[in-house]
């Protein structure tokens, strides 16, 4: 439906692949913020950050394949995002979780290495990494020091 709406807004009588891609971007990332003024320096930071995710993922064996990277501001806070091919597996290995953690931190690492400074743009990435790491230790029992224990989540006691 979203692709048809985009085609209609552009006075098209047929839906094209570009309309479907624009619809996916809108659904995943939110509305494009065409009026958002972003400085050249901030755009560069966002570009390096998103490229960091992409390049890091390219070199990791167990990372999900990259589908698309954009630095178009969308939604409530995203100045850019990387989109990955969804994983259909029902189970996730420790190696996959570690590679996802590395890939998620790749944006912040790129800022530090290539720009010599870090920004607040990695805040969402840090939330994801904190959640993934906590689950590895406290839920999945992947920590050798803590051992084979799984602590119930607070909202779902046994």
């Amino acid at each position: 439906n979203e692709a048809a709406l985009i085609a209609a807004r552009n006075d098209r009588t047929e839906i094209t692949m570009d309309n479907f891609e624009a619809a996916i971007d809108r659904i995943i990332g939110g509305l494009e913020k065409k009026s958002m003024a972003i400085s050249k320096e901030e755009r560069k930071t966002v570009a390096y950050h998103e490229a960091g995710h992409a390049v890091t993922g390219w070199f990791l064996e167990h990372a999900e394949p990259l589908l698309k990277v954009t630095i178009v501001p969308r939604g409530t806070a995203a100045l850019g995002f990387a989109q990955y091919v969804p994983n259909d597996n029902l189970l996730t290995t420790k190696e996959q979780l570690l590679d996802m953690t590395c890939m998620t931190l790749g944006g912040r690492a790129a800022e530090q290495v290539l720009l010599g400074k870090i920004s607040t743009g990695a805040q969402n990435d840090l939330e994801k990494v904190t959640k993934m790491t906590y689950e590895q230790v406290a839920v999945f029992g992947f920590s050798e020091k803590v051992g084979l224990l799984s602590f119930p989540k607070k909202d779902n006691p046994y």
Side-chain angles (χ1 to χ4, degrees), residues 25-26 28-33 36 72-79 81:
D25 287 349
R26 183 180 180 306
I28 291 173
L31 285 172
E32 184 177 335
K33 295 181 182 177
M36 178 181 261
V72 175
R74 294 184 171 275
T76 57
L79 297 176
F81 67 90

Side-chain angles (χ1 to χ4, degrees), residues 14-144:
E14 295 178 349
I15 302 169
T16 66
M17 188 57 74
D18 288 340
N19 299 133
F20 282 109
E21 290 174 2
I24 290 168
D25 287 349
R26 183 180 180 306
I27 290 167
I28 291 173
L31 285 172
E32 184 177 335
K33 295 181 182 177
K34 294 182 181 182
S35 63
M36 178 181 261
I38 183 169
S39 72
K40 189 175 182 179
E41 186 66 25
E42 286 178 318
R43 186 173 297 249
K44 180 180 175 182
T45 300
V46 172
Y48 277 109
H49 181 97
E50 297 304 331
H53 291 304
V55 172
T56 304
W58 179 261
F59 288 102
L60 295 170
E61 179 182 356
H62 304 287
E64 295 174 344
L66 181 69
L67 182 63
K68 179 180 186 174
V69 175
T70 180
I71 61 167
V72 175
R74 294 184 171 275
T76 57
L79 297 176
F81 67 90
Q83 182 182 354
Y84 302 93
V85 177
N87 184 342
D88 292 336
N89 296 338
L90 299 175
L91 300 173
T92 305
T93 66
K94 183 177 181 179
E95 292 76 20
Q96 287 171 314
L97 288 170
L98 291 174
D99 279 2
M100 285 192 300
T101 300
C102 290
M103 187 169 53
T104 304
L105 292 173
R108 187 178 185 118
E111 288 182 35
Q112 179 67 50
V113 170
L114 300 170
L115 301 173
K117 57 187 175 184
I118 56 174
S119 72
T120 58
Q123 187 265 336
N124 182 258
D125 296 336
L126 295 174
E127 282 182 17
K128 289 178 188 175
V129 167
T130 300
K131 183 179 181 221
M132 282 191 291
T133 305
Y134 175 82
E135 288 179 339
Q136 287 177 50
V137 174
V139 178
F140 303 128
F142 287 166
S143 170
E144 291 179 19

